[in-house]
């Protein structure tokens, strides 16, 4: 058969409409059938009849579809509420095809036929049904696919109808604002796209040149409020589409809507986790500000409908300062003619500190573009003259120094040279002028952000503060908000997030770099904060203030830190409330601030004292900046001692290989305080640290001398004194008699027995460390170079000083009192006593003892023989009885061992001048110690016996009976189970054999039959030959 020839499409006459409606009336009636299958077949039949047709019944033309829309669409939309999901899907399918076919352009259309106007009947009948289905108050559709299809239908309807949607903006906004709350992210993205399409369709001009912006402006706030929550959606694609929808609506928003809805709603994008989202956000911010600025410019130049434009921008014009309309004078401050800048610019400035370099560079360029736009508006309004900025030499020098502190993207780092360079002079004058004009708005906002409870918001605030400081420069210091800013920096610098704390420190450095008059701006604020008493500020707060102070000083240069500022800060760091604080953070940050101040002052020559050259020291210089800094560093050096925090363990008198005293300071090459002291000496113009100590020694000791009588326990003043004793060059004690007298006076006043034991222990540990010092090179008699021990320098070969130290400083702590605390004092005293006599032990052990060790050369002894003998003869001192008491200590066995060492030193020093009566007092105590329960004590006792015979007993000069009484019980230990004890006893017996061979022979001969280790006995007998 011949192929069927299709009939031409039906027209749009009244008869055609009636005929076509009659042909589909059965299918339309089937939509309301009670049988679900019938309803579904009805939609399938309508789809075929309306849109696809067949060979005998072609589909109707778009003109006919448009003409019958008022009859067909209401019947079809009843399926939107069908209880069967498949029926609802079929219904939506019919509606979508209906809209598409009505909106398409066909070849048979007339030239005057417009698809957009053909959709008007569809809009009139379809939109009310969609509002009932997806608008406010409608029952929620359970199917995600149907909800997505409904929003897609709305978007397609808007795209095809164009400006024909203008009369139906209320219905469309109702549907979109309700559907955007859908939990399905694809629905949200469809809504965002539909909003964009709606703005383009209604906001633009139609073919007649008319616009419908008023309807959009009426609903802009509602759309923003509905869409903006998606700025924090978990899907980045949803956030991007939300940003696009918001961007399309922003031009129709008033300033109040931007301030109250847009700004807080879009701000979470400042710390969006997706790089691309942040970049798009920054670009949109700049675009929004540029659009509003263009609108404001058109208002001022009179373009367009003057009445309408004036009404549209009435709120925006209110943002501009009232003074901006006047002709500016020389004192006119910076102005901002970008109406929305005070709301949107803070978020763009946050992007300048983005962690992604590309984003930060892009944001900086966008800020520059906004600044140029503002400058252009200023230029049109006020002219060129007042905008010229000619930097003087001082400002240029400050900017060059500050360049070293600026981060990326303001500077680039040269990997080869390690220097920071700026290829472009950013930020420019235009952008800085814009930021300065908005400083009263920007600073409170950033400060408020740093107080948020979420770490992300606090980080945004810290980034904004740092960026604002870079753009505003010295304007921040002149701002009345500076006290609030300093307080915010102090609060935020302790944040757990390292990046937040780092941004705050950068802000502080920039303040220091550009502050031209710090002594009247930030210095009084921070001085008050760090020197306040404990009732006004806590230790943690003081530490935070010191961190900010150290950072500001770190950023300062020789151009911004003069002598007066240096003196004020040095005085504050040396304040009593700072130095007496035992908080670890306060200590560390005080040292950091001091180090930074010294570095800056070295460049500005603020510490260079002209009197150093002349040699005259005035009264004012005693309280100068260098004296205060010296005091701070001395206190910091004291805190480096292991015993500064109450650790009083250890014993320096036993080991002489290195300084192991509890209060010994760490070596200077590993001490930050010692390195800072060297830097201070250089900054003051001294050739060495010795000269620095020599200049400030009297001032440092005068305070200790006046305060020592009030010392009741270890305190910062006492620790500073001890640090001076242990850290000052030996030459200061060797050459300055008044310094030595002051030191000895303090020791004697503090060490009396009525004082607290912990204080006496601290002073004894310091004295122990001084005598345990390895010594420094000094010049002796003639050209002979010798090492001068610190303790020896204190005594200075003056017997009266040695006697005073022993009797007034050491022996009071050896008096027995009940309690473990007093026992620790006895231990510290006997250890210190042993260290003082160590030189005598080393001299005896390394010298020739063939004559009993009684050498006449005592020049190398720290404590001379005469001084030691004078102490022994002093009946009130009771040196030997106190040592004997310590040898029987019950609390700490180490005290007994240290007492044996101390007695050994005394015997080696006094030598043969010890009387027979004293010898008879000594040997019974040694005999008792040989029965001690600890082997190390018995070994120390054996060494003491050896020294007893080497130094105190001349050949054939002591009563043999007493020697026999001593050696007979002593020789029993030659058969001890501990080899070290046997060897120690043998060495003592060998020393006794040199001076009392007959007594030794009488004692050892019977031992050949009773001892197990006869080898030691035979060795002793051989020595008697």
């Amino acid at each position: 058969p011949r192929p069927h020839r299709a009939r031409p499409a039906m027209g749009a006459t009244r008869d055609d409409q009636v005929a076509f409606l009659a042909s589909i009336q059965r299918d339309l009636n089937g939509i309301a059938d009670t049988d679900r299958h019938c309803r579904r077949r009805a939609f399938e039949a309508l789809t075929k009849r309306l849109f696809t047709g067949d060979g005998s019944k072609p589909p109707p033309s778009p003109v006919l579809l448009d003409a019958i829309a008022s009859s067909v669409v209401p019947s079809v939309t009843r399926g939107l509420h069908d209880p069967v999901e498949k029926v609802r899907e079929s219904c939506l399918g019919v509606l979508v095809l209906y809209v598409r076919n009505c909106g398409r352009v066909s070849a048979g259309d007339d030239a005057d036929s417009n698809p957009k106007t053909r959709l008007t009947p569809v809009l009139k009948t379809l939109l009310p049904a969609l509002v009932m289905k997806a608008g406010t108050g409608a029952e929620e559709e359970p199917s995600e696919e149907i909800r997505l299809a409904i929003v897609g239908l709305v978007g397609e309807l808007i795209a095809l109808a164009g400006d024909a949607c203008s009369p139906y903006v209320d219905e469309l906004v109702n549907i979109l604002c309700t559907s955007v709350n859908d939990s399905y992210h694809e629905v949200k993205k469809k809504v965002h796209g539909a909003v964009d399409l709606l703005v383009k369709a209604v906001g633009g001009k139609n073919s007649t040149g008319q616009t419908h912006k008023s309807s959009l402006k009426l609903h802009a706030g509602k759309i923003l409020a509905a869409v903006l929550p998606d700025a924090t959606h978990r899907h980045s694609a949803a956030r991007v589409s939300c940003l696009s929808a918001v961007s399309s609506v922003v031009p129709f928003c008033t300033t109040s809507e931007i301030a109250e809805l847009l700004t807080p709603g879009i701000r979470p994008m400042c710390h969006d986790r997706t790089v691309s989202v942040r970049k798009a956000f920054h670009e949109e911010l700049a675009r929004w500000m540029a659009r509003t600025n263009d609108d404001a410019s058109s208002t001022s130049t009179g373009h367009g409908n003057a009445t309408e434009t004036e009404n549209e921008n009435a709120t925006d014009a209110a943002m501009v300062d009232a003074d901006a309309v006047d002709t500016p004078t020389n004192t006119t401050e910076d102005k901002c003619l970008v109406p929305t800048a005070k709301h949107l610019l803070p978020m763009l400035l946050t992007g300048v500190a983005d962690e992604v370099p590309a984003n930060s560079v892009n944001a900086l360029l966008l800020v520059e573009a906004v600044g140029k736009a503002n400058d252009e508006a200023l230029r049109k309004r006020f002219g060129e003259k007042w905008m010229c900025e000619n930097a003087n030499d001082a400002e240029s020098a400050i900017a060059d120094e500050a360049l070293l502190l600026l981060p990326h993207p303001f500077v680039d780092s040269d990997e080869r040279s390690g220097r920071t360079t700026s290829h472009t002079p950013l930020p420019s004058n235009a952008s800085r002028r814009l930021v300065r004009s908005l400083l009263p708005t920007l600073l409170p906002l950033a400060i408020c952000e740093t107080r948020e409870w979420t770490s992300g918001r606090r980080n945004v605030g810290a980034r904004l503060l740092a960026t604002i400081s870079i753009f505003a420069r010295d304007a921040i210091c002149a701002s009345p908000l500076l006290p609030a800013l300093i307080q915010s920096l102090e609060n935020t610098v302790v944040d757990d997030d390292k990046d937040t704390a780092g941004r705050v420190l950068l802000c502080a450095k920039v303040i220091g770099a550009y502050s031209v008059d710090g002594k009247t701006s930030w210095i009084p604020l921070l001085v008050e904060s760090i020197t306040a008493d404990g009732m006004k500020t806590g230790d943690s707060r003081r530490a935070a203030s010191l961190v900010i102070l150290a950072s500001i000083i770190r950023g300062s240069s020789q151009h911004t830190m003069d002598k007066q500022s240096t003196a004020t800060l040095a005085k504050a760091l040396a304040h009593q409330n700072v130095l007496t604080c035992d908080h670890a953070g306060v200590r560390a940050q005080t040292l950091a601030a001091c180090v930074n101040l010294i570095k800056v002052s070295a460049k500005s020559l603020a510490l260079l004292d002209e009197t150093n050259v002349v040699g005259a020291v005035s009264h004012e210089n005693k309280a100068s900046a260098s004296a205060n800094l010296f005091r701070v560093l001395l206190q910091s050096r004291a805190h480096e001692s292991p015993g500064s925090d109450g650790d009083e363990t250890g014993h320096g008198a036993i080991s002489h290989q290195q300084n192991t005293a509890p209060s010994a300071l760490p070596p200077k090459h590993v001490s930050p305080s010692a390195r800072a002291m060297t830097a201070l000496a250089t900054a003051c113009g001294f050739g060495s640290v010795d000269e620095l100590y020599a200049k400030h020694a009297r001032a440092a000791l005068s305070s200790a001398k006046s305060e020592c009588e009030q010392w009741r326990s270890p305190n910062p003043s006492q620790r500073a004194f001890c640090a001076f004793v242990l850290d000052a060059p030996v030459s200061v004690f060797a050459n300055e008699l008044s310094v030595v007298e002051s030191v000895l006076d303090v020791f004697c006043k503090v060490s009396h027995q009525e004082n607290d034991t912990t204080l006496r222990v601290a002073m004894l540990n310091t004295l122990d460390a001084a005598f345990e010092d390895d010594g420094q090179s000094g010049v002796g008699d003639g050209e002979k170079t010798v090492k001068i021990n610190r303790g020896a320098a204190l005594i200075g070969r003056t017997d009266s000083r040695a006697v005073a130290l022993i009797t007034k400083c050491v022996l009071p702590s050896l008096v027995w009192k009940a309690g473990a605390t007093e026992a620790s004092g006895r231990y510290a005293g006997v250890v210190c006593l042993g260290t003082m006599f160590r030189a005598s032990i080393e001299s005896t052990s390394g010298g020739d003892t063939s004559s009993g060790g009684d050498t006449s050369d005592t020049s190398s002894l720290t404590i001379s023989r005469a001084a030691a003998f004078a102490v022994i003869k002093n009946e009130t001192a009771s040196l030997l009885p106190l040592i004997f008491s310590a040898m029987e200590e019950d609390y700490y066995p180490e005290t007994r061992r240290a007492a044996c060492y101390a007695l050994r030193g005394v015997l080696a020093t006094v030598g043969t001048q010890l009387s027979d009566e004293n010898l008879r007092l000594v040997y019974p105590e040694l005999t008792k110690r040989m029965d001690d329960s600890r082997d190390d004590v018995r070994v120390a006792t054996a060494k003491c016996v050896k020294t007893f015979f080497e130094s105190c007993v001349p050949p054939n000069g002591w009563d043999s009976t007493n020697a026999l009484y001593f050696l007979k019980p002593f020789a029993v230990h030659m058969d001890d189970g501990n080899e070290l004890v046997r060897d120690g006893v043998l060495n003592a017996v060998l020393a006794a054999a040199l001076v009392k061979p007959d007594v030794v022979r009488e004692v050892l001969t019977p031992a050949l039959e009773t001892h197990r280790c006869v080898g030691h006995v035979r060795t002793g007998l051989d020595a008697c030959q």
Side-chain angles (χ1 to χ4, degrees), residues 160-497:
L160 293 174
D163 61 334
C165 299
S166 300
Y168 308 99
V169 172
D170 293 347
E171 290 82 356
L172 292 171
V173 171
N174 187 354
I175 296 171
L176 295 177
C177 290
T178 303
S179 300
V180 78
N181 296 322
D182 199 289
S183 58
Y184 187 29
H185 64 278
E186 292 295 338
V187 174
K188 290 181 177 291
K189 291 194 289 185
K190 283 287 186 180
V191 172
H192 300 158
V195 170
D196 200 3
L197 291 172
L198 179 62
V199 173
K200 291 179 181 178
V202 180
K205 294 182 179 180
N206 56 18
S207 58
T208 61
Q210 296 178 349
T211 62
H212 301 278
K213 291 183 178 180
S214 58
S215 58
L216 279 179
K217 290 184 177 181
L218 184 63
H219 295 90
K222 182 178 180 181
I223 296 175
L224 276 183
V227 173
L228 279 173
D230 293 336
T232 58
H233 197 273
R234 64 180 182 274
H235 291 169
S236 61
R239 298 196 299 274
V240 171
S241 62
C242 170
L243 182 62
S244 177
V246 170
S247 182
S248 63
V249 178
V250 165
F252 304 96
C253 296
T254 63
T255 304
S256 61
E257 290 172 341
I258 291 178
E260 298 172 5
L261 295 176
L262 176 63
T263 302
I266 205 70
R267 183 174 288 125
M269 282 193 171
C270 291
H271 50 88
D272 194 280
R273 59 183 177 274
T274 305
V275 177
S276 59
V277 175
R278 295 199 303 272
K279 180 180 179 181
F281 173 60
H282 299 156
E283 294 173 350
E284 291 299 333
L285 286 172
R287 190 176 295 114
W288 297 341
M289 286 184 280
R291 285 175 181 172
T292 54
N293 191 51
D294 292 341
D295 294 341
S297 299
S298 64
T299 302
S300 62
T301 54
H303 295 300
N305 189 331
T307 304
E308 179 182 358
T309 308
E310 182 178 355
N311 293 333
E312 292 176 358
N313 296 290
T315 307
D316 294 346
M319 286 190 58
V320 183
D321 197 353
D323 295 338
V325 298
D326 301 330
T327 302
T329 62
N330 294 333
T331 60
T332 301
E333 297 185 2
D334 301 319
K335 304 297 178 185
C336 176
L337 297 184
V338 181
T340 58
K342 77 173 187 176
H343 304 297
L344 304 180
L345 185 62
M347 294 181 280
L348 186 56
L349 289 175
T350 303
V352 177
D354 197 283
E355 61 265 20
V356 178
N359 273 10
S360 61
V361 172
N362 183 55
L364 178 59
L365 296 178
L366 293 174
V367 173
E368 293 294 329
V370 177
K372 290 180 181 178
N374 181 61
D375 262 19
E376 186 64 26
L378 291 171
R379 189 175 290 106
K380 290 180 180 180
R381 180 168 297 190
F382 301 127
E384 299 282 350
K385 293 183 179 180
W386 79 285
M387 295 177 59
C388 297
E389 292 188 4
N390 298 320
N392 54 36
D393 294 339
E395 293 176 348
S396 300
I398 292 175
D400 292 341
E401 290 289 339
L403 188 64
L404 302 174
L405 301 173
L406 299 186
H408 184 83
F410 300 99
V411 294
D412 296 326
S413 179
D414 189 351
E415 296 181 357
R416 294 182 179 179
S417 62
R419 300 177 180 177
T420 55
T421 58
S422 179
H423 300 301
T424 56
L426 298 180
S428 64
N429 290 337
S431 60
R432 289 193 289 110
R433 186 181 295 111
L434 175 65
V435 173
R436 287 199 303 265
S437 66
L438 296 175
L439 204 57
T441 302
L442 293 174
L443 278 180
L445 176 62
I447 292 172
C448 183
E449 286 286 327
T450 59
R451 298 171 182 169
E452 289 292 333
W453 68 275
T454 59
S455 60
R457 294 285 297 274
R458 294 196 301 272
N459 184 259
V460 169
R463 292 185 181 191
L464 183 57
L465 277 179
T467 307
I468 290 173
S469 63
I470 295 174
F471 278 90
R473 295 189 176 180
D474 58 321
I476 283 187
C477 294
S479 172
L481 297 173
L482 182 63
L485 174 60
I486 296 294
Q487 184 179 6
S488 175
L489 296 180
E490 294 172 346
N491 293 334
T492 314
V493 76
V494 297
D495 197 280
D496 294 334
D497 184 58

Side-chain angles (χ1 to χ4, degrees), residues 538-851:
D539 292 339
S540 299
R541 180 63 180 221
R542 197 189 308 276
S545 302
L546 285 167
V547 172
I548 300 302
L549 176 62
S551 298
I552 294 180
I553 298 174
R554 172 68 179 83
S556 302
S557 63
Q558 63 269 30
H559 307 290
T560 59
M561 185 67 67
D562 55 11
K563 290 186 177 181
Q564 183 179 350
S565 300
T566 302
T568 303
L569 293 176
K571 183 179 180 181
L573 293 175
H575 194 272
Q576 189 73 7
N577 292 336
V578 179
L579 291 185
T580 58
C581 183
D582 288 330
H583 190 271
V586 173
R587 296 178 187 175
Q589 297 309 319
T590 302
L591 176 60
C594 186
V595 170
N596 292 340
L597 186 59
I598 292 172
K599 290 181 180 179
V600 176
S601 302
K603 297 179 181 179
S604 63
L605 305 180
L607 295 177
L608 189 61
D609 193 354
E610 292 79 3
T611 59
N612 292 339
V613 180
V614 179
V617 181
S618 63
H619 175 72
E620 291 77 6
N621 287 330
K622 293 182 180 179
S624 63
S626 62
N628 287 324
L629 293 176
F630 176 81
R631 186 181 177 189
V632 173
L633 293 178
L634 196 62
Q635 191 72 56
S636 178
R637 183 75 165 132
H639 289 307
E640 295 175 353
S641 170
S644 62
D645 295 323
D647 179 16
E648 309 298 345
T649 61
H651 38 80
I654 305 303
S655 173
H656 59 274
Q657 299 298 325
Q658 58 182 356
N659 196 334
T660 58
S663 294
L665 299 177
K668 292 187 176 182
H669 66 276
V670 298
S671 167
S673 304
R675 291 194 296 268
M677 196 74 80
T678 303
L680 176 61
T682 304
C684 293
F686 293 113
S688 65
V689 181
D690 296 14
E691 298 179 14
L692 178 68
Y693 269 94
K695 177 179 180 180
H696 298 298
R698 294 188 182 91
L701 292 176
S702 62
S703 59
K705 191 174 180 179
S706 60
E707 299 171 2
C708 65
E709 293 183 356
Q710 284 75 40
W711 293 351
R712 294 296 178 264
S713 61
N715 56 81
S717 177
Q718 172 264 332
R719 285 193 286 266
F721 166 77
C722 294
F724 179 88
V725 173
L726 299 180
D727 200 51
V730 173
S731 58
V732 174
F733 303 112
N735 301 328
E736 297 287 341
L737 179 61
S738 60
V739 171
V740 176
E741 291 177 349
S742 299
V743 169
L744 296 179
D745 187 35
V746 172
F747 271 112
C748 294
K749 287 182 178 179
V750 175
S751 300
H752 56 83
Q753 198 173 12
E754 289 75 14
N755 253 343
D756 185 73
T757 306
T758 56
L759 176 61
R760 288 187 281 116
V761 168
M763 300 299 289
L764 288 171
N765 287 337
T766 301
L767 200 58
D768 175 41
F771 279 92
E772 197 174 356
D773 184 63
D774 292 335
Q776 299 180 8
S777 297
V779 179
D781 298 335
E783 296 182 356
K784 182 180 179 181
T785 301
V786 296
K787 276 194 171 184
I788 305 176
N789 179 271
R790 190 176 301 276
L794 285 174
I795 294 176
R797 297 184 182 179
T798 304
D799 294 343
S800 59
R801 297 180 188 173
V803 172
L805 279 177
I806 295 174
T807 56
K808 295 182 180 180
C809 300
V810 179
L811 296 185
S813 295
L814 293 180
V815 177
W816 192 91
K817 283 186 178 182
T821 304
E822 293 293 338
S824 66
R826 292 193 293 274
Y827 172 74
V830 77
V831 167
C832 179
L833 186 64
T835 305
M836 296 173 72
F837 286 101
R838 171 182 296 171
S840 302
I841 297 175
E842 293 174 349
S843 175
T844 304
S845 300
D848 182 15
T849 60
S850 59
S851 60

Side-chain angles (χ1 to χ4, degrees), residues 928-942:
K928 285 191 293 184
R929 281 308 97 220
M930 287 306 300
D931 292 329
D932 198 275
S933 59
R934 289 180 49 136
D935 290 341
D936 57 343
V937 176
R938 289 188 288 149
V939 171
T941 305

